[in-house]
Amino acid sequence: MNVNLENFKFYKNIEIRWNDLDPIGHVNNVYYFEYFQIGRGYYMTEMSKNWDWMKHMFVIANISCQYFKELRLTHRNVQLGIRISAIGNKSFDFEYVIVSDDKNGERIVHALGTSTQVLIDLSINKSIEIPVWLRSDMIAYEPNL
């Protein structure tokens, strides 16, 4: 696994909760997707000052997660990195990385994820093309697109 953590401009701290743990003491796999969801909310409003969750919406068309190292309540500085990795006509892709610090301050990669979002118009409940303003905001925030 070779992940360039510098590709991720946006990081959000993750607070692991006691109820996120399964009986063997590590974060249950379903909570990684919840962390992704929470992170998307913060990312969109950071990436685009024009984004308004009351006016704009997308649905998840595909989502996946690869688990590399268990995540426990005792891990330090747990963070979720998010970046847009591709933009299509009506959809865009997120990449996610969940990391923590070891005792020496080195980053541990716990998981990598991806998701494809399709922009929708809630008034007609149909997919729509990504507006020019949003595409511009994405490219400005993620210049490597």
Side-chain angles (χ1 to χ4, degrees), residues 12-107:
K12 175 76 178 140
N13 290 332
I14 296 175
E15 182 178 338
I16 298 173
R17 304 161 300 185
W18 180 258
N19 67 308
D20 295 354
L21 307 178
D22 63 17
I24 59 174
H26 64 242
V27 173
N28 185 282
N29 64 320
V30 300
Y31 289 103
Y32 289 74
F33 294 98
E34 185 174 316
Y35 301 155
F36 296 170
Q37 179 181 13
I38 292 166
R40 284 192 301 269
Y42 286 100
Y43 178 93
M44 291 302 292
T45 55
E46 171 74 21
M47 178 272 301
S48 174
K49 301 307 178 206
N50 299 305
W51 186 263
D52 181 343
W53 283 108
M54 301 307 288
K55 296 178 183 174
H56 311 107
M57 188 55 61
F58 53 76
V59 294
I60 304 296
N62 187 29
I63 191 165
S64 67
C65 185
Q66 292 179 282
Y67 307 95
F68 297 108
K69 184 162 180 62
E70 68 183 0
L71 184 58
R72 294 184 168 272
L73 193 61
T74 55
H75 279 104
R76 304 169 201 198
N77 192 28
V78 180
Q79 294 184 313
L80 169 68
I82 303 176
R83 72 186 198 100
I84 294 174
S85 59
I87 306 172
N89 289 329
K90 295 182 177 185
S91 66
F92 61 98
D93 295 341
F94 276 128
E95 287 183 355
Y96 311 90
V97 63
I98 295 179
V99 296
S100 70
D101 292 340
D102 69 10
K103 294 176 185 175
N104 300 318
E106 297 292 320
R107 300 302 263 165

